[in-house]
Amino acid sequence: LAAEVLCSKFAWHQPLYRQQDAFAQLGWIPSRSTLAQIIAHAAELLRPLSALETQRILASGVVNTDDTPVTLLTPGEAAGSRQARFWIYRSRQPGACYDAFAFTDNRSRAGPDEFLRDFRGTLCGDCYSGYVNIEEVTGGRIGFSACHAHARRYVFNAREQHPELSSQILALYRALYDLEERGSRLDAVSRFLLRRRESVPLMQKLATLLESPAAKGLLPKSKLGTAIAYLRNHWEALTRFLRDGRLPIDNNEAERDLRRIAVGRKNWLFVGSREGGARAAVILTVIASAHRHDLDVWVYLRDVLERLANGTPDLEPLLPDVWKAAHPQHVRTFREEERQQRADERQYQAAKRRLEALAAVRD
């Protein structure tokens, strides 16, 4: 029952009042407070597993992060509500392929600072003000790698006003992303060597474009002028991926995984309390990490909750990648196949563009 309630609320985005109707069809009419208590108790059971997944992420050395707003009800305050935040912290390093969620009642840097207090490595994300000087604030303990998808998007949005310069920058970005597609199946060392050999010259060409007369002649507040200023201001963070093959070129994977909050809040609309937000973060950590490994989430939750309720002291077998290896019959293999097909198509399109470019040069 707990697996059903959690899966419906946090995996399929069904608020509790809709779950009441589904249960009523089966002959049981629970109150919403009963369903809320089930969620609260399940969150307490899952907390140690969520903490272990978070610990593995923070020990991985490379973490992607992003955040999204959510309405928090605050009955004791004059406004009655405020804009709170869910944060995602994601790793794709071996042994730490999990998603961790955190909840804060504002967007101040105190939330990320607290979450990352034991982290040592590189943080990858957008140029949120709390991150851009994190290396200085932490005395070099945390470095920052900026997202090229954001930088490219600003240039793309300015292409109609300044088509020539925009198209030159976007062409360089296409070449950079084609290289990333080639490197996606390589190990970190091979990817670093590929970037040093082919991506570094492309970034040097981009730097030359940013200092060209055409770029310097733009109005500072024009769309392309703002985009180029963004590139210049964050150049150090935007080039960090060239020095470490483990770093992604952008933050797209974290943004994609954060969409479960965006979809969910259209249904459940708000978080009822700070404690409820913290509980939701625990549950989302476990469910999102299971999703990443293509598990049957309901079966996984049922087994994990049963073992935790029985007091199992060993959390290692409950980690989604370990559980997956032990329960291959509960893996959604069609998701793996779909993902592989998309990756093969991207590889094919990138190779096709390279051949067309070579043919154009010969002509």
Side-chain angles (χ1 to χ4, degrees):
L1 176 61
E4 179 66 30
V5 174
L6 265 61
C7 209
S8 295
K9 173 73 182 287
F10 297 100
W12 319 134
H13 317 296
Q14 295 295 315
L16 296 184
Y17 78 90
R18 292 184 193 168
Q19 292 192 46
Q20 283 179 299
D21 290 331
F23 284 125
Q25 286 182 307
L26 302 175
W28 179 52
I29 307 176
S31 67
R32 289 187 211 173
S33 62
T34 297
L35 297 178
Q37 287 178 9
I38 290 172
I39 289 176
H41 289 301
E44 287 306 309
L45 284 175
L46 294 174
R47 196 176 297 278
L49 178 60
S50 171
L52 177 60
E53 290 172 345
T54 300
Q55 179 185 347
R56 296 286 179 91
I57 291 170
L58 294 175
S60 69
V62 177
V63 172
N64 284 70
T65 183
D66 200 8
D67 64 282
T68 192
V70 63
T71 299
L72 169 66
L73 299 187
T74 54
E77 298 178 4
S81 66
R82 65 162 62 188
Q83 191 177 83
R85 291 275 165 172
F86 275 111
W87 307 75
I88 187 172
Y89 299 91
R90 185 185 196 277
S91 175
R92 59 176 181 177
Q93 303 307 306
C97 291
Y98 313 125
D99 287 358
F101 284 81
F103 176 80
T104 60
D105 62 5
N106 56 55
R107 206 193 183 205
S108 75
R109 67 175 300 157
D113 283 351
E114 172 63 21
F115 190 91
L116 298 167
R117 68 182 185 277
D118 297 324
F119 174 64
R120 183 178 297 275
T122 303
L123 189 69
C124 309
D126 58 32
C127 290
Y128 159 59
S129 59
Y131 297 148
V132 292
N133 64 342
I134 197 168
E135 190 162 0
E136 178 183 347
V137 170
T138 61
R141 177 171 58 85
I142 300 176
F144 177 64
S145 179
C147 172
H148 274 279
H150 280 79
R152 182 196 174 278
R153 192 177 306 138
Y154 296 142
V155 176
F156 182 82
N157 291 339
R159 69 193 184 285
E160 293 182 0
Q161 288 83 1
H162 303 277
E164 184 175 351
L165 183 56
S166 295
S167 63
Q168 290 176 304
I169 297 174
L170 292 173
L172 288 173
Y173 265 119
R174 169 166 282 186
L176 279 170
Y177 271 85
D178 280 352
L179 283 169
E180 289 302 306
E181 194 61 49
R182 286 168 56 191
S184 62
R185 302 183 187 189
L186 302 177
D187 59 49
V189 174
S190 300
R191 193 179 306 116
F192 164 72
L193 294 174
L194 174 65
R195 287 171 174 174
R196 187 170 67 175
R197 185 174 61 250
E198 300 189 43
S199 298
V200 168
L202 290 173
M203 289 297 288
Q204 290 171 343
K205 289 180 181 179
L206 179 56
T208 301
L209 273 179
L210 299 182
E211 300 303 322
S212 66
K216 290 187 174 180
L218 294 168
L219 293 174
K221 293 190 177 180
S222 66
K223 281 189 175 182
L224 189 56
T226 302
I228 286 178
Y230 182 92
L231 282 159
R232 288 183 186 139
N233 293 339
H234 302 294
W235 188 253
E236 173 62 26
L238 287 166
T239 56
R240 186 178 289 271
F241 82 103
L242 299 172
R243 305 193 292 273
D244 188 340
R246 299 174 302 162
L247 302 181
I249 191 173
D250 58 36
N251 200 42
N252 284 352
E253 290 180 346
E255 291 186 13
R256 180 200 64 210
D257 287 0
L258 197 61
R259 283 190 308 209
R260 69 178 60 252
I261 302 294
V263 174
R265 70 181 172 221
K266 290 181 179 179
N267 293 277
W268 38 255
L269 301 178
F270 56 82
V271 173
S273 67
R274 292 174 176 84
E275 295 75 16
R279 285 194 293 266
V282 168
I283 297 167
L284 285 165
T285 296
V286 175
I287 287 180
S289 298
H291 264 299
R292 279 190 62 181
H293 292 277
D294 303 310
L295 302 182
D296 181 328
V297 178
W298 187 88
V299 174
Y300 172 71
L301 278 178
R302 183 187 63 180
D303 186 41
V304 166
L305 287 168
E306 183 175 1
R307 293 202 214 178
L308 291 170
N310 287 329
T312 179
D314 188 6
L315 298 177
E316 184 79 19
L318 305 185
L319 290 169
D321 47 341
V322 180
W323 194 91
K324 177 180 181 177
H327 301 81
Q329 71 275 24
H330 295 306
V331 178
R332 303 299 200 198
T333 54
F334 61 90
R335 294 299 183 202
E336 296 177 330
E337 292 166 1
E338 289 169 355
R339 191 163 50 250
Q340 187 61 52
Q341 289 171 359
R342 291 195 296 269
D344 290 343
E345 178 62 21
R346 288 195 301 270
Q347 291 265 341
Y348 169 76
Q349 293 298 335
K352 183 179 177 182
R353 285 193 291 269
R354 287 198 303 275
L355 290 173
E356 290 172 348
L358 287 171
V361 170
R362 292 194 193 100
D363 293 343

